[in-house]
Amino acid sequence: MKLLINLGLAFAWTAATALSAVVADPYSAPRVTFQDLRLQQKICSHPLYCEGPILRRIQLGGVFDSDKTFIDMPTRKPVSQVVDAFNKLPANATRDDLAKFVSDNFHPAGCDIKQAELDDWTDDPPFLKGVTDPVLRGYGMALHNQWKGLARQRNTDFLCDGCETSLLPVKHTFIVGGANSTREPRYWDTYYIVLGLLKSGLNGTARGMLQNLLDLVGIYGFVPTGGRIYFTDRSEPPLLALMVKNYYEATLDLDFVARALPMLKAEHKYWDTYRSINVTYTRSGNSSLSRRQSDLFQTVTSKTTLFGPSLFQTAVQTASDESSDSEGFLRPESYSTDYSTFKTQFAAANLFSTAIPTDNLYAATEAGTAPSVQYASVQTAMAGPSLFSTSLRRRDVAMPDSNPFAAFTKNELSILGSININSTIATNLNSIMYQVEVTIANFISLLNNKTDTAECTSYRQRASERRQTLLDLSYNPSTGLFSDFHLTSGQQTDVWSVNSLWPYWAFGDSLPAESAQKAIDSISKLHKRFSGGLPNTLYNTTLNWDYPKIQPPLQHMVVQSVLGLQQNTGLTKRSSAATNGFAVSLVQNSIDAAFCNWYTTGGDVPGVLNQYEGATGGSTGMNFEFYSLGDDGDITTTTSTAGQGDYTWTNGVMVWLLGQFSSQVTTPTCPNIVLNLVRNTTVTPTLPPVATPTPSPSSTCGRQKKCSTNCRCIVRRRGIF
C-alpha cells in the first residue's frame, strides 16, 4: 500500500467549521524550517524500577494485572540481594516462580505511603459561603470531605538498610490523584487539586503540595510526571508557576513566592534546554499584532517548545527479538502495553511505514491527553481500503456519517495518535509556557517593589515572541481558532482539539477584537452541539481522550479561555456581558455532569436529597476521571462504579467552579432523572438558556499598538497581577 499524503482525505474536520456553513479558508501556512535544540536526556536506569531483566521478566510474565503494581513495591532486602536472588532463577521460570520471587523480595505495593491527617482541616469551607442552593451546598460539602480520604504521606521508616522504594522523597502531605489508581502525587493533577484546596480554605495543605514539587525541581531540575523514580525522565504540562500564582493570589504569602522563584526559573530553564527548538519562517501580516510595517513579511527565527525528550536512543528494538534483554525505552508503568504496541507495529508493516520512536511514547506521557488521535497525521499511516471510505472536507456542515478511524484497533489508534507528538508545536504547551514566562516576570517585578528589572523584561520579551509565533503558525484568522502545528508536514493539524483553546486563556485579552469575537462564536457553536461539555477531539474512537468522553480539566480550561476572551477590551459591553453568561452556562453544564453521575452512583444530601433509587454497588457517590456524552451531545449518567475511583482533579475543578460562580449556578438538571428531594426542600430555579454572544463591530483595542514596545502591556489584567 502506498503512503497516503492527501490532506483532503486526512482527518480533515476542524471544530468550528464542521458545525457551520461552508466558507472559504484563506489560511496558508508559511514554509517552516526548524533546528532541534534539545539536549539529549538520559532515562532512569534503576535496575528494578526502570529497566533491566528483572523488570522485563516480571512485567511480561503476567504476574500482576497492572504494570504499576510491581514498580510500586518496596524491597524487603537490599537491592544487591534482590538481584542475586533473581539471577538464581532458572531461565524457564514459570509465572508461579516469578510470583514467589516477588513475594520473597518485595513488600506489597503502596505500603510506602499511609493515610494522613490534614492539620488545617475546616468543617466550614469558604467556597460554600456564597452557595445558597441546598442541593449544591450538600454536594459541595461532599466534595470538600473527600480531601480527608485522599490525603497521604510518605511511610518508609520500616525499610531495612539498603532497601529501596520507587517513591520519591516527598516530605509533605499530598492528595493522591485517585483513590484506586495512584500511590504518589502527580504533576498535572496537582494543579487542579490545589485549585480546590485553596477554595476549601486548606492553604497549608496546598502549600505543602507545592513545596513537594519545588523540592523535586531542586533535585531533578524539573517536576517529574509523578512522585516515583520511574517518572524522572519526563514531565507533564509545566503548571507549577501557575500553581504558585494561584496560591499567592489566595494567601498573599510573598515569602513563599520568594522561596519558590528560583525553582520556577530552574523549571523554565529545563524546558528551554531539553524541550525547545528554533523555527524559522516568513512572517506575514495576517496574524501579527504589530502594526509596524517593518515587522511584516520578514524571515524570523523563534524558539518554541515541544512535548517529549530527545533520548540517547530513539528506536526500540524489534519486539520479535526474544533473545534481547532490553526492549529499549518502554515506560515501566505501561511496560506490557508498550511491548504489545511495538509487537503490533512491527508485525503490521503494511499499516505503519516507519517505527514509532520511543521518545514519542515519552512525549505522549508528557502531553497528558493521550491516548488520543489529537496528534494523528496521515503522513505516518498506511491506510487500508476502508479507512477513508468517506471523504472529509475541511468545510463540511455537520459531523461525517462514518468514522474514518473505525478501521483501526485500539492498539493501532494508540500508535497513530502518539507517533507525531514529538514533532508537533502544541498550542496548549506553548500557551502554558507563555503564562509561565509572564508569571515569572510578574514575580520578579513584585519582589523588586513592582519594578521591571532587565531580567523581568527578558521573560516578558520571551512571552511576547512566543505569542507571536503561535499567531503566525497556529492561528487561522478566518475562524479565529488555533490548531497544533505539525513540523514534519509544515501544516496545521487537521484533527482539531479543544486543547487549542488554551491561547485564549493565556492572551485572549490582547487579540484583535474581530478575532476574539470569531473565537467566541466558534466556541458557542461547539457548545450548542456538545451541551454536556467539549470533548478533546471530535472523532469517536475507543480512546480516553477522544469524543464522546469529556474531562473536567479541559472544561476548566474552556471556561478560563472564554473568560480570557471576555476581557478583550475591543468587545462591546453587550457582547462582553453575553460572553460571561455563556461562561456560566459552560460552568453549569460541567457541574451537572459531575453531580449527576455522583448522584446516580449513590450520592445523597442528608435532609435535602435522598439517594437515587437505581444506585447499585453500595457507593456513596463517585467523582469520575471522565464523563461521556450521548448522541445528542448532552451528558449521560451511569450507576456503575466498576474500575472507578474518586478522581481528585474532578474534585478540585468542581470545588473551584462552585466557589468561583457560587451565586450564578443553580440546582443541577440530570437527563431522564428526577431528583429525589426530601419533602419541602426549596431549590434554586434553573437559569434560562444563554443566547449566543452578540458579535461586536470590527475594531482593535487601542492599547494593542503599544504591545510591541511596552513591556507591561502583555500582562493579564486579572487577579493580583
Side-chain angles (χ1 to χ4, degrees):
M1 297 183 187
K2 295 182 179 180
L3 183 68
L4 286 183
I5 56 174
N6 184 351
L7 296 178
L9 298 178
F11 320 139
W13 177 45
T14 56
T17 53
L19 304 171
S20 60
V22 176
V23 295
D25 183 5
Y27 172 79
S28 178
R31 177 172 293 182
V32 173
T33 60
F34 63 95
Q35 177 188 12
D36 196 337
L37 304 176
R38 292 172 293 177
L39 294 184
Q40 288 186 316
Q41 180 178 335
K42 293 182 178 180
I43 67 165
C44 171
S45 58
H46 194 282
L48 302 179
Y49 301 121
C50 294
E51 64 174 6
I54 298 178
L55 181 69
R56 170 186 164 86
R57 293 285 296 278
I58 300 302
Q59 300 294 57
L60 300 183
V63 179
F64 300 106
D65 293 334
S66 168
D67 285 340
K68 204 170 179 307
T69 301
F70 172 65
I71 53 179
D72 288 355
M73 302 176 76
T75 65
R76 295 181 183 273
K77 305 170 185 177
V79 171
S80 59
Q81 295 182 23
V82 174
V83 173
D84 288 343
F86 175 81
N87 289 335
K88 294 176 182 177
L89 289 174
N92 61 347
T94 65
R95 179 184 180 279
D96 289 342
D97 293 334
L98 295 173
K100 186 177 186 307
F101 161 76
V102 172
S103 177
D104 290 345
N105 291 277
F106 293 86
H107 291 286
C111 68
D112 47 9
I113 61 172
K114 63 182 179 181
Q115 187 80 28
E117 297 292 329
L118 297 178
D119 295 335
D120 55 350
W121 180 254
T122 175
D123 291 321
D124 186 24
F127 79 92
L128 286 180
K129 295 187 186 303
V131 179
T132 58
D133 180 84
V135 173
L136 284 178
R137 282 187 62 84
Y139 175 54
M141 196 66 200
L143 293 171
H144 177 68
N145 286 331
Q146 289 284 0
W147 300 128
K148 290 190 292 187
L150 296 167
R152 303 287 188 271
Q153 62 185 204
R154 184 178 170 91
N155 175 43
T156 56
D157 292 343
F158 65 91
L159 292 179
C160 70
D161 290 340
C163 290
E164 296 189 18
T165 172
S166 62
L167 186 66
L168 298 181
V170 287
K171 300 176 182 178
H172 303 278
T173 296
F174 57 90
I175 306 294
V176 291
N180 299 329
S181 61
T182 55
R183 306 180 184 98
E184 68 281 327
R186 292 290 185 94
Y187 188 7
W188 193 24
D189 299 45
T190 299
Y191 176 85
Y192 303 99
I193 293 169
V194 167
L195 271 184
L197 290 173
L198 293 172
K199 287 294 183 183
S200 282
L202 304 178
N203 297 344
T205 301
R207 183 176 61 248
M209 291 194 69
L210 294 180
Q211 190 59 58
N212 283 337
L213 301 187
L214 294 167
D215 290 345
L216 293 178
V217 175
I219 297 171
Y220 299 102
F222 67 100
V223 181
T225 296
R228 296 273 172 185
I229 193 170
Y230 47 82
F231 287 129
T232 56
D233 40 27
R234 54 218 137 105
S235 188
E236 280 188 328
L239 295 168
L240 180 56
L242 276 66
M243 297 184 213
V244 175
K245 172 179 177 288
N246 291 337
Y247 174 78
Y248 175 68
E249 290 180 346
T251 66
L252 300 182
D253 186 349
L254 193 57
D255 288 340
F256 184 80
V257 171
R259 294 194 302 272
L261 185 57
M263 295 300 100
L264 301 184
K265 294 178 185 177
E267 185 189 35
H268 180 270
K269 182 179 180 181
Y270 167 85
W271 283 84
D272 223 24
T273 303
Y274 292 97
R275 299 293 187 272
S276 291
I277 64 170
N278 274 345
V279 290
T280 301
Y281 60 93
T282 300
R283 175 169 292 162
S284 70
N286 288 338
S287 59
S288 177
L289 294 185
S290 172
R291 295 293 175 263
R292 295 183 303 180
Q293 194 67 27
S294 60
D295 288 344
L296 309 182
F297 304 104
Q298 284 189 342
T299 299
V300 296
T301 298
S302 176
K303 182 178 282 189
T304 188
T305 308
L306 307 179
F307 283 121
S310 175
L311 300 172
F312 281 121
Q313 173 188 342
T314 58
V316 171
Q317 290 177 300
T318 304
S320 60
D321 182 7
E322 297 296 342
S323 63
S324 171
D325 287 335
S326 174
E327 303 305 325
F329 301 147
L330 303 184
R331 295 168 296 182
E333 76 280 8
S334 55
Y335 196 99
S336 63
T337 301
D338 288 355
Y339 179 88
S340 176
T341 295
F342 285 108
K343 287 197 70 172
T344 300
Q345 179 190 6
F346 285 102
N350 63 333
L351 180 62
F352 295 102
S353 59
T354 58
I356 176 174
T358 311
D359 43 12
N360 275 294
L361 288 177
Y362 280 62
T365 303
E366 286 195 343
T369 54
S372 164
V373 295
Q374 174 181 344
Y375 300 99
S377 169
V378 290
Q379 290 186 311
T380 59
M382 296 294 288
S386 62
L387 174 57
F388 296 115
S389 58
T390 302
S391 176
L392 304 179
R393 299 186 303 275
R394 295 180 69 86
R395 294 295 173 261
D396 279 348
V397 177
M399 295 177 69
D401 293 332
S402 60
N403 181 1
F405 293 103
F408 290 118
T409 66
K410 187 172 183 177
N411 201 22
E412 291 164 350
L413 284 168
S414 295
I415 301 172
L416 186 61
S418 300
I419 203 165
N420 283 298
I421 301 178
N422 202 244
S423 57
T424 297
I425 299 176
T427 54
N428 66 330
L429 172 60
N430 282 278
S431 298
I432 292 169
M433 290 296 291
Y434 170 92
Q435 292 172 301
V436 168
E437 286 155 355
V438 170
T439 298
I440 291 175
N442 288 339
F443 281 153
I444 294 171
S445 176
L446 193 63
L447 293 168
N448 285 276
N449 297 316
K450 299 185 179 179
T451 300
D452 277 6
T453 64
E455 184 183 29
C456 163
T457 302
S458 175
Y459 277 103
R460 295 201 199 283
Q461 288 174 342
R462 283 294 306 277
S464 182
E465 176 187 332
R466 189 183 300 276
R467 176 186 61 178
Q468 189 58 57
T469 301
L470 282 175
L471 287 164
D472 291 339
L473 300 182
S474 298
Y475 181 64
N476 188 329
S478 67
T479 65
L481 292 173
F482 290 81
S483 296
D484 294 333
F485 189 91
H486 282 321
L487 290 167
T488 49
S489 66
Q491 295 286 337
Q492 292 180 7
T493 177
D494 287 311
V495 181
W496 187 84
S497 164
V498 76
N499 259 303
S500 297
L501 298 180
W502 206 299
Y504 308 120
W505 178 6
F507 48 80
D509 57 349
S510 62
L511 288 173
E514 181 179 5
S515 299
Q517 188 62 58
K518 285 181 179 179
I520 291 170
D521 293 343
S522 294
I523 300 171
S524 177
K525 290 171 185 175
L526 278 169
H527 181 50
K528 284 185 175 180
R529 174 62 183 86
F530 304 108
S531 59
L534 302 191
N536 182 42
T537 75
L538 309 180
Y539 284 106
N540 191 350
T541 73
T542 58
L543 304 179
N544 284 349
W545 288 88
D546 294 325
Y547 173 85
K549 295 171 183 175
I550 59 171
Q551 292 79 15
L554 295 188
Q555 308 317 302
H556 166 267
M557 181 272 297
V558 173
V559 171
Q560 290 280 32
S561 297
V562 172
L563 293 177
L565 288 166
Q566 182 202 2
Q567 294 189 24
N568 190 293
T569 57
L571 298 179
T572 64
K573 290 184 178 180
R574 181 180 178 186
S575 182
S576 180
T579 302
N580 183 70
F582 173 41
V584 173
S585 177
L586 290 167
V587 170
Q588 183 70 59
N589 291 340
S590 295
I591 292 174
D592 288 358
F595 168 86
C596 293
N597 280 276
W598 171 82
Y599 179 56
T600 57
T601 53
D604 71 306
V605 180
V608 175
L609 179 67
N610 295 317
Q611 195 174 65
Y612 178 57
E613 292 182 357
T616 60
S619 170
T620 56
M622 285 272 187
N623 293 303
F624 292 167
E625 178 185 12
F626 53 80
Y627 301 96
S628 294
L629 301 174
D631 293 338
D632 60 355
D634 202 356
I635 62 169
T636 62
T637 58
T638 180
T639 59
S640 173
T641 60
Q644 292 281 4
D646 280 308
Y647 273 81
T648 41
W649 68 18
T650 301
N651 220 59
V653 170
M654 294 306 130
V655 167
W656 182 83
L657 292 175
L658 286 172
Q660 202 75 6
F661 297 87
S662 57
S663 63
Q664 298 171 279
V665 291
T666 63
T667 306
T669 301
C670 302
N672 304 316
I673 292 175
V674 177
L675 300 184
N676 186 9
L677 296 170
V678 175
R679 184 174 296 182
N680 298 326
T681 298
T682 302
V683 297
T684 308
T686 302
L687 294 175
V690 177
T692 302
T694 305
S696 62
S698 298
S699 62
T700 56
C701 167
R703 67 184 175 87
Q704 287 173 358
K705 186 173 182 180
K706 301 177 182 178
C707 280
S708 60
T709 58
N710 187 342
C711 170
R712 284 189 174 277
C713 187
I714 63 173
V715 181
R716 300 295 302 279
R717 302 302 203 271
R718 195 189 317 174
I720 203 70
F721 296 135

